[in-house]
């Protein structure tokens, strides 16, 4: 009996100390982690629009539109929207930010968070380097990942194809790239078609719906009117500003 | 003494090539040198910390619950490390993803806790954690260099041979097995040769 109590005591004590240590570490790092994530998100929003765009954050009650989205102005004219989306990848959700022009074409795309396999799906953020190990100073120094770059100019109003046989975007010729654009398709990451499709499916599912809802400019008014017509209350409110794919 | 310990950790008792422990994270993250290095150092950190703590508390832990206790201690360090990585190198966190929390179940760490730290004093346990961790890191570096080169024509994200067509299979799990098997075979071949000579 005393033995059993000893066992329980030892395990309890160790767990308590461990819990305390993790709690302490979490308490001391959580603000900095949140700040880093906030900065990453802000950077992502800036990156999905061409330079010189003024960006404004918008809030919605979370009906059809996500609770939070962004609109961008160029020369005081509304020129695009940005949405935070979530697609289910090979391992968990991939969260990304997509910027769309008024014509429904993608202006830019940035990955915020993913849990894909290292070396395979994680290549969504790979920058196609042309630097050689023998001479690391030459070659052009690209900063944009090739995978997200290929989405620029793709229309969100039509289905987006995923092509495996074409080879990866960064190895394609200009002609082949133009061909992909014509077919409104992107090239898959080798061995990671599921990851690639997570992006195209999330975009297909939500963006055209959002754009339709937004109409042209000034969405809330249009929206309220439509809601009144439908006589139905908006759907459930989620806490997060996830891409609204659950709406 | 240090040289002897280093040789033990990196060559004669190498966790991957000789003990064949921790192969799961090895297969998963040895796809690029950056990931391999990050994973190796992260594991070394946890290995050193858990070895020290376990060798300190070993006498107060009843034998029947020692494994759960070790796991709790290891998992604590992994959680703390994960938070630190999120603060200081968020890119590594997004690259390694789930494999950072999974360090907690890496067999090498529990293996060293059980086989070494539970029987030795904190100082030697520290040294053991360090050399075993370095051995793990070295093995990961060897494997990831081969795999990143054959599978992507790159080393440390830099191109290697112009016009070389990479073989994607080496980035995938089967390629990982091939490379591990070949390196293990080579090591055993040379060690066997040496052993045979010593006998003669």
């Amino acid at each position: 009996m005393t033995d059993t109590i000893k066992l329980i005591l030892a395990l309890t004590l160790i767990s308590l100390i461990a819990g305390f240590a993790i709690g302490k570490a979490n308490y001391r790092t959580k603000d900095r982690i949140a700040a880093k994530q906030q900065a990453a998100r802000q950077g992502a929003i800036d990156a999905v629009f061409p330079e010189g765009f003024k960006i404004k954050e918008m809030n919605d009650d979370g009906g059809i539109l996500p609770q939070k989205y962004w609109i961008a102005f160029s020369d005081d004219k509304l020129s695009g929207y940005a949405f935070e989306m979530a697609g289910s990848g090979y391992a968990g959700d991939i969260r990304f930010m997509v910027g769309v022009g008024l014509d429904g074409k993608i202006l830019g795309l940035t990955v915020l968070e993913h849990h894909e396999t290292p070396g395979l799906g994680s290549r969504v953020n790979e920058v196609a380097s042309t630097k050689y190990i023998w001479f690391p100073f030459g070659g052009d120094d690209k900063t944009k990942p090739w995978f997200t770059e290929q989405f620029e100019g793709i229309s969100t109003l039509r289905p987006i194809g995923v092509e495996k046989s074409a080879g990866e975007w960064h190895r394609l010729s200009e002609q082949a790239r133009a061909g992909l654009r014509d077919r409104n398709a992107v090239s898959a990451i080798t061995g990671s078609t599921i990851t690639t499709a997570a992006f195209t499916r999330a975009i297909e599912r939500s963006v055209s719906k959002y754009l339709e809802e937004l109409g042209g400019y000034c969405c809330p008014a249009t929206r309220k009117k439509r809601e009144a017509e439908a006589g139905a209350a908006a759907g459930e409110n989620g806490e997060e500003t996830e891409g609204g794919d659950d709406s | 003494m240090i040289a002897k310990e280093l040789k033990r950790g990196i060559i004669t008792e190498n966790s991957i090539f000789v003990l064949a422990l921790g192969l799961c994270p090895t297969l998963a993250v040895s796809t690029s040198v950056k990931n391999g290095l990050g994973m190796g150092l992260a594991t070394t950190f946890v290995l050193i910390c858990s070895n020290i703590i376990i060798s300190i508390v070993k006498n107060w832990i009843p034998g029947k619950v020692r494994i759960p206790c070790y796991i709790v201690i290891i998992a604590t360090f992994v959680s703390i490390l994960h938070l630190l990585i999120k603060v200081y190198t968020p890119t590594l966190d997004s690259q390694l993803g789930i494999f950072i929390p999974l360090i907690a179940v890496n067999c090498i760490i529990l293996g060293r806790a059980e086989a070494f730290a539970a029987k030795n004093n904190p100082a030697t346990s520290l040294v053991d954690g360090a050399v075993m961790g370095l051995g793990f890191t070295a093995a990961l570096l060897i494997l990831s260099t081969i795999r990143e080169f054959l599978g992507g024509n790159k080393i440390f994200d830099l191109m290697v041979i112009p016009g070389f067509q990479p073989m994607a299979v080496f980035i995938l799990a089967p390629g990982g097995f091939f490379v591990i098997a070949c390196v293990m075979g080579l090591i055993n071949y040379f060690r066997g040769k040496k052993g045979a000579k010593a006998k003669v």
Side-chain angles (χ1 to χ4, degrees):
Chain A
M1 191 60 200
T2 48
D3 248 19
T4 319
I5 290 170
K6 239 190 218 164
L7 299 183
I8 295 171
L9 266 181
L11 202 47
T12 311
L13 198 66
I14 284 200
S15 303
L16 272 178
I17 295 170
F20 182 77
I22 296 174
K24 188 90 184 155
N26 182 45
Y27 178 75
R28 300 196 53 163
T29 52
K30 69 169 189 240
D31 289 345
R32 292 170 71 181
I33 292 173
K36 279 255 159 91
Q37 281 170 348
Q38 180 60 34
R41 180 189 286 209
Q42 194 55 50
I45 298 166
D46 293 343
V48 296
F49 291 118
E51 257 175 63
F53 276 45
K54 276 201 206 101
I55 297 156
K56 197 172 152 223
E57 187 179 307
M58 302 289 285
N59 290 297
D60 197 86
D61 52 18
I64 293 177
L65 288 169
Q67 282 190 326
K68 222 191 241 175
Y69 59 96
W70 293 265
I71 57 177
F73 300 90
S74 137
D75 301 330
D76 291 330
K77 243 177 59 205
L78 178 77
S79 317
Y81 305 99
F83 307 104
E84 194 182 325
M85 322 266 296
S88 50
Y90 188 70
D93 275 359
I94 302 174
R95 292 195 306 114
F96 60 98
M97 189 72 73
V98 60
V100 191
L102 296 183
D103 55 358
K105 285 195 172 155
I106 294 174
L107 295 171
L109 191 150
T110 337
V111 181
L112 295 171
E113 189 191 339
H114 71 83
H115 308 281
E116 302 303 289
T117 321
L120 289 168
S122 77
R123 289 178 58 216
V124 290
N125 281 325
E126 181 191 68
V127 177
S129 166
T130 51
K131 285 188 179 181
Y132 282 91
I133 194 165
W134 322 112
F135 189 65
F137 310 104
D140 53 356
D141 205 1
K142 287 193 187 134
T143 50
K144 260 191 198 171
W146 62 267
F147 177 76
T148 53
E149 194 187 356
Q150 65 177 339
F151 278 90
E152 288 168 21
I154 294 286
S155 172
T156 57
L157 306 177
R158 290 191 281 148
I160 305 169
V162 175
E163 297 196 3
K164 290 191 256 187
S165 50
E168 291 180 348
W169 174 262
H170 58 105
R171 290 209 201 93
L172 295 180
S173 65
E174 280 304 320
Q175 267 172 313
R177 291 182 182 186
L180 275 176
R181 286 258 157 86
D182 285 345
R183 296 191 293 278
N184 208 45
V186 294
S187 66
I189 298 174
T190 306
S192 309
T193 316
I194 294 175
T195 309
T196 313
F199 287 85
T200 60
R201 262 191 266 126
I203 292 170
E204 280 170 0
R205 196 172 44 209
S206 313
V207 175
S208 60
K209 211 166 62 186
Y210 295 161
L211 288 177
E212 194 191 335
E213 182 70 10
L214 287 160
Y217 175 37
C218 215
C219 26
T222 335
R223 242 178 55 68
K224 290 258 158 62
K225 217 171 92 195
R226 266 189 220 170
E227 255 175 30
E229 281 167 9
E236 296 162 353
N237 291 351
E239 276 180 319
E240 286 283 324
T241 56
E242 297 284 331
D245 53 333
D246 45 8
S247 59
Chain B
M1 187 262 193
I2 287 174
K4 211 178 123 195
E5 285 290 307
L6 271 176
K7 195 187 160 205
R8 184 173 69 89
I10 296 174
I11 301 167
T12 48
E13 276 181 42
N14 187 294
S15 49
I16 294 173
F17 297 133
V18 180
L19 304 180
L21 288 178
L23 289 178
C24 171
T26 304
L27 278 175
V29 304
S30 65
T31 50
S32 79
V33 180
K34 255 187 202 166
N35 288 352
L37 188 65
M39 184 69 179
L41 294 181
T43 308
T44 308
F45 170 83
V46 176
L47 203 47
I48 293 174
C49 294
S50 66
N51 258 12
I52 295 173
I53 297 297
I54 287 168
S55 68
I56 290 172
V57 300
K58 61 176 187 283
N59 293 332
W60 299 308
I61 296 177
K64 278 182 191 162
V65 290
R66 67 181 195 283
I67 300 283
C69 289
Y70 295 167
I71 288 285
V72 170
I73 291 170
I74 293 165
T76 307
F77 282 114
V78 173
S79 303
I80 293 171
L81 175 78
H82 197 186
L83 292 171
L84 291 178
I85 288 178
K86 274 187 181 168
V87 171
Y88 293 107
T89 56
T91 21
L92 185 68
D93 178 52
S94 71
Q95 279 297 313
L96 293 180
I98 186 71
F99 290 98
I100 296 174
L102 281 183
I103 294 174
V105 290
N106 190 323
C107 332
I108 302 169
I109 299 173
L110 187 63
R112 290 331 280 177
E114 176 77 357
F116 199 93
K119 295 169 194 152
N120 289 282
N121 63 37
T124 47
S125 299
L126 184 155
V127 175
D128 180 73
V131 295
M132 293 310 279
L134 284 179
F136 183 62
T137 312
L140 275 178
L141 281 181
I142 293 170
L143 294 174
S144 58
T145 308
I146 300 172
R147 288 181 70 188
E148 196 182 352
F149 168 57
L150 292 176
N153 191 19
K154 283 181 180 178
I155 290 174
F156 227 94
D157 287 349
L158 295 167
M159 302 285 278
V160 185
I161 300 174
F164 175 74
Q165 177 63 45
M167 294 158 272
V169 68
F170 282 100
I171 294 288
L172 304 170
F177 279 116
F178 297 157
V179 177
I180 291 179
C182 291
V183 176
M184 247 184 200
L186 270 179
I187 288 178
N188 284 342
Y189 174 73
F190 283 114
R191 291 189 64 202
K193 238 182 172 177
K194 226 169 129 188
K197 251 185 206 161
K199 264 182 208 160
V200 172

